[in-house]
């Protein structure tokens, strides 16, 4: 079936997310030829009174640095595709006007009625999702199903707890089918997160090892070396658990722990993710350490009595045949001593060890999501030379070195392309979201009730010492005297 032209509508076009992520991702797709001038038109919609030129200038300003190395001609061709429509998020007039503009574009491209494609990207606070979706449903849908479609992309936070998330899901669910809704979690667009399925299920090497018989514990870690600069107001309402752990790190946990899907069909993958989430047993408060960095409350948008964690370590247990007894430690923190995200799989000690290899530390398989994407396996080897002594070394696959000519796309770039292609594999399904909130809501309630308080930590440190103690308590053995250095050219 012939498909018609594509309209991409960015709602919240004058906001931060649109400027920093959505438009740059669209520009990169354009540059690589995924968005064709004779086919695509981009609409920005927001409340501010701006002209087309004003919006283009803003986007251009943000793309400035990257653009300076580009022929300005590519950028100006991209900017010419963008048109601005101003209106509020609940006004009929605004959305009627938007529809008129989209239709004019479709007519000018001679799209057969019903074949055109409309992608709505909600770069907006979730409080306006219901009214915006209602307006889209009422005024802006592609009118029939002759190969065309209307799709809605939404950003987290999808609610604050089980109830608010379910309310939001029901409101959106009344307006759109699940196959029209794309809930973005940008961690699912990262190269090494997408590699997890291949790694686990296409390598004979890992199949017999990936279980409770061999693995002692698994850590999924996110660290940032800056605080909540400029986002204190948002952050204080959500905290690190809702900002990072309930979504990004839990999604990674699913891919590390799930069983092999029946096929690569998106529903088969998402079915397995839901199953593993359903096997997570309730979080115990004594297996949680919260932290807040000193100075967090100096931000005028943060309340002086804020109990909001900027750091958390939480131990999860999955009760199934593969994982019973293996702690999954999810850790995230702002204002720490480094910026990185990684998965660290620590194996059990060698039984009947004759080399005292325990001295060096255990075998670990580390997947470095960012920066410097890499995978490395920590091994004990014979120290080169005449003596029979052992040292710890590694098998290292550093992407920068191994794939020198490859361009690793930005997460948003990849995910937006998926929405155009209609591939929901890397998006969060409604039932997945529900179970994710079921897991975290009791803990979040305890924090709100003040049953659990964050420990203060110094900005630029490792976070609270209590978190390292918890790690050791559940079995993680830290390797001393060995540091992996990312390979460089
Ligand atoms: C966002 C969080 O979802 O992810 C931010 O709201 C965080 O607080 C960001 O900084 C991290 O993303 P990345 O891709 O830089 O790891």
């Amino acid at each position: 079936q012939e498909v018609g032209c594509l309209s991409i509508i960015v709602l919240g076009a004058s906001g931060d997310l649109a400027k920093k992520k959505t438009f740059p991702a669209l520009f990169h797709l354009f540059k690589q030829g995924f968005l064709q001038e004779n086919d695509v038109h981009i609409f920005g919609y927001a409340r501010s009174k701006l002209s087309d030129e004003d919006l283009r200038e803003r986007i251009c300003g943000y793309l400035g640095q990257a653009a300076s190395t580009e022929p300005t001609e590519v950028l100006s061709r991209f900017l010419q595709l963008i048109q601005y429509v101003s209106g509020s998020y609940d006004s009929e007039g605004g959305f009627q006007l938007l529809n008129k503009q989209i239709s004019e574009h479709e007519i000018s491209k001679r799209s057969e009625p019903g074949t055109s494609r409309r992608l709505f990207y909600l770069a907006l606070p979730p409080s306006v999702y219901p009214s915006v979706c209602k307006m889209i449903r009422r005024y802006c849908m592609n009118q029939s199903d002759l190969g065309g479609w209307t799709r809605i992309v939404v950003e987290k936070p999808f609610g604050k707890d089980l109830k608010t998330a379910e309310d939001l899901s029901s409101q959106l669910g009344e307006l759109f089918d699940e196959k029209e809704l794309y809930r973005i979690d940008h961690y699912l667009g990262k190269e090494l997160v997408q590699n997890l399925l291949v790694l686990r299920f296409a390598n004979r090497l890992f199949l017999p090892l990936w279980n409770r018989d061999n693995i002692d514990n698994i850590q999924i870690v996110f660290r940032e070396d800056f605080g909540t600069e400029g986002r204190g107001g948002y952050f204080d309402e959500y905290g690190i658990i809702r900002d990072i752990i309930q979504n990004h790190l839990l999604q990674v946990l699913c891919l590390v722990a799930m069983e092999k899907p029946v096929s690569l069909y998106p529903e088969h993958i998402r079915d397995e993710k839901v199953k593993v989430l359903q096997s997570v047993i309730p979080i115990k408060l004594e297996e949680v350490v919260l932290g807040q960095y000193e100075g967090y409350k100096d931000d005028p948008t943060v309340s002086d009595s804020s109990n909001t964690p900027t750091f958390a370590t939480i131990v999860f247990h999955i009760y199934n045949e593969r994982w019973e007894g293996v702690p999954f430690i999810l850790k995230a923190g702002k204002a720490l001593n480094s910026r990185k995200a990684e998965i660290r799989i620590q194996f059990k000690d060698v039984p009947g060890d004759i080399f005292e290899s325990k001295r060096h530390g255990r075998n670990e398989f580390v997947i470095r999501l960012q920066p410097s994407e890499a995978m490395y396996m920590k091994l004990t080897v014979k120290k080169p030379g005449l003596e029979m002594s052992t040292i710890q070394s590694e098998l290292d696959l550093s992407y920068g070195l191994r794939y020198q000519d490859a361009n690793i796309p930005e997460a948003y770039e990849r995910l937006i392309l998926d929405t155009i292609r209609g591939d929901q594999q890397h998006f969060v399904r409604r039932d997945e979201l529900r179970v994710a909130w079921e897991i975290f809501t009791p803990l979040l309630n305890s924090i709100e009730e003040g049953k659990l308080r964050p420990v203060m930590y110094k900005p630029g440190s490792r976070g609270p010492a209590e978190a390292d103690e918890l790690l050791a308590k559940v079995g993680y053995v830290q390797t001393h005297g060995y540091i992996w250095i990312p390979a460089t050219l």
Side-chain angles (χ1 to χ4, degrees):
Q1 210 159 19
E2 266 293 291
V3 287
C5 66
L6 172 64
S7 302
I8 300 175
I9 304 102
V10 181
L11 298 121
S14 56
D16 231 36
L17 178 70
K19 186 174 73 177
K20 290 187 182 155
K21 300 286 184 191
T22 323
F23 286 116
L26 292 172
F27 176 51
H28 290 130
L29 289 174
F30 175 76
K31 265 192 335 193
Q32 296 167 78
F34 289 108
L35 304 178
Q36 299 284 339
E37 267 151 320
N38 56 6
D39 182 42
V40 177
H41 205 66
I42 301 170
F43 296 87
Y45 184 94
R47 282 174 306 193
S48 335
K49 295 263 173 286
L50 298 178
S51 65
D52 292 349
E53 260 329 296
D54 292 338
L55 178 66
R56 289 172 190 164
E57 258 169 44
R58 280 190 191 201
I59 297 168
C60 187
Y62 197 77
L63 287 172
Q65 229 181 347
S68 66
T69 55
E70 294 303 321
T72 48
E73 187 250 331
V74 181
L75 181 59
S76 54
R77 273 173 33 222
F78 171 73
L79 293 173
Q80 286 316 306
L81 297 178
I82 303 173
Q83 185 182 341
Y84 185 69
V85 181
S86 154
S88 71
Y89 296 122
D90 53 3
S91 92
E92 308 201 331
F95 283 86
Q96 282 165 337
L97 178 63
L98 180 60
N99 184 52
K100 186 163 158 275
Q101 307 278 10
I102 302 172
S103 305
E104 276 170 16
H105 158 65
E106 291 170 353
I107 292 164
S108 77
K109 296 290 175 207
R110 300 204 172 79
S111 271
E112 289 295 320
T115 63
S116 55
R117 298 165 293 157
R118 297 184 174 193
L119 182 69
F120 290 87
Y121 193 108
L122 274 55
L124 291 169
S127 53
V128 298
Y129 288 175
S131 74
V132 166
C133 287
K134 222 178 274 172
M135 292 294 156
I136 296 174
R137 175 88 239 173
R138 205 173 289 164
Y139 298 111
C140 300
M141 300 291 283
N142 170 48
Q143 287 308 327
S144 75
D145 56 1
L146 296 170
W149 43 253
T150 304
R151 292 182 186 144
I152 313 289
V153 185
V154 286
E155 275 282 344
K156 74 161 183 78
F158 313 117
K160 281 196 76 181
D161 55 16
L162 182 58
K163 176 163 185 333
T164 49
E166 272 296 289
D167 286 350
L168 186 61
S169 290
S170 322
Q171 282 170 317
L172 301 195
E174 277 167 25
L175 300 165
F176 297 103
D177 288 344
E178 187 61 28
K179 69 175 180 20
E180 295 171 314
L181 285 171
Y182 288 73
R183 296 180 195 84
I184 276 207
D185 183 313
H186 79 281
Y187 266 60
L188 293 176
K190 292 192 185 276
E191 182 68 35
L192 286 202
V193 174
Q194 297 208 336
N195 199 1
L196 282 168
L197 281 195
V198 183
L199 199 65
R200 287 193 52 199
F201 300 118
N203 290 294
R204 180 66 202 223
L205 182 67
F206 290 121
L207 299 181
L209 295 181
W210 211 267
N211 55 42
R212 63 194 296 272
D213 299 333
N214 300 291
I215 293 175
D216 190 274
N217 61 77
I218 296 182
Q219 281 186 67
I220 302 172
V221 179
F222 166 97
R223 311 162 69 86
E224 263 178 356
D225 54 2
F226 50 89
T228 57
E229 285 96 4
R231 298 170 76 222
Y234 150 81
F235 193 89
D236 201 44
E237 211 186 307
Y238 288 89
I240 198 80
I241 297 177
R242 293 185 181 95
D243 191 45
I244 304 287
I245 303 184
Q246 182 267 353
N247 34 67
H248 304 330
L249 300 195
L250 194 68
Q251 286 295 324
V252 174
L253 177 144
C254 287
L255 295 169
V256 170
M258 71 186 219
E259 296 301 314
K260 185 168 168 170
V262 174
S263 76
L264 291 178
Y265 180 62
E267 297 320 323
H268 287 157
I269 294 173
R270 301 197 294 178
D271 287 347
E272 293 305 331
K273 287 168 72 190
V274 173
K275 276 194 225 159
V276 81
L277 290 176
Q278 285 168 333
S279 310
V280 171
I281 58 180
I283 299 167
K284 299 190 203 96
L285 293 192
E286 61 277 19
E287 291 191 331
V288 178
V289 172
L290 304 179
Q292 189 184 78
Y293 66 85
E294 287 167 12
Y296 167 70
K297 286 187 277 206
D298 296 347
D299 182 330
T301 56
V302 170
S303 122
D304 290 342
S305 58
S306 173
N307 196 25
T308 302
T310 59
F311 173 101
T313 295
I314 307 175
V315 182
F316 292 78
H317 299 274
I318 297 172
Y319 186 73
N320 66 17
E321 191 177 332
R322 187 186 289 272
W323 295 119
E324 189 189 349
V326 180
F328 283 74
I329 305 149
L330 270 51
K331 177 157 104 179
K334 299 243 172 208
L336 297 177
N337 55 354
S338 62
R339 174 177 178 259
K340 67 178 180 190
E342 66 185 21
I343 305 163
R344 184 173 294 269
I345 294 160
Q346 186 172 73
F347 289 85
K348 291 181 188 284
D349 289 326
V350 172
D353 180 24
I354 53 170
F355 289 108
E356 291 178 41
S357 46
K358 244 188 232 172
R359 280 186 296 131
H360 303 304
R362 294 169 162 174
N363 286 150
E364 284 182 356
F365 178 45
V366 182
I367 302 167
R368 167 76 68 99
L369 307 180
Q370 66 188 35
S372 315
E373 289 90 346
M375 292 175 216
Y376 57 96
M377 180 101 72
K378 285 162 67 169
L379 305 172
T380 298
V381 300
K382 178 185 167 303
K383 189 172 178 182
L386 287 176
E387 304 303 325
M388 177 47 82
S389 60
T390 56
I391 49 163
Q392 186 146 68
S393 190
E394 72 279 313
L395 292 176
D396 185 338
L397 170 57
S398 283
Y399 274 45
L401 204 61
R402 182 66 177 80
Y403 300 113
Q404 291 175 24
D405 297 327
N407 153 40
I408 298 187
E410 273 287 308
Y412 274 94
E413 213 175 305
R414 207 186 301 253
L415 294 175
I416 292 177
L417 191 59
D418 284 348
T419 63
I420 297 171
R421 292 175 169 167
D423 182 352
Q424 289 187 308
Q425 172 178 334
H426 303 295
F427 294 82
V428 181
R429 203 167 66 185
R430 179 174 174 175
D431 52 348
E432 217 177 319
L433 181 67
R434 185 191 156 87
V435 198
W437 279 117
E438 276 170 2
I439 294 173
F440 284 93
T441 300
L443 170 63
L444 292 165
N445 289 344
S446 301
I447 299 173
E448 242 115 86
E449 290 158 14
K451 287 190 195 148
L452 216 62
R453 295 199 162 272
V455 185
M456 301 308 278
Y457 63 94
K458 291 233 174 313
S461 68
R462 272 184 65 79
E466 287 83 343
D468 286 333
E469 288 159 19
L470 175 61
L471 245 67
K473 200 181 108 199
V474 298
Y476 172 67
V477 179
Q478 197 176 349
T479 312
H480 293 286
Y482 166 93
I483 298 174
W484 173 74
I485 300 170
T488 47
L489 293 178

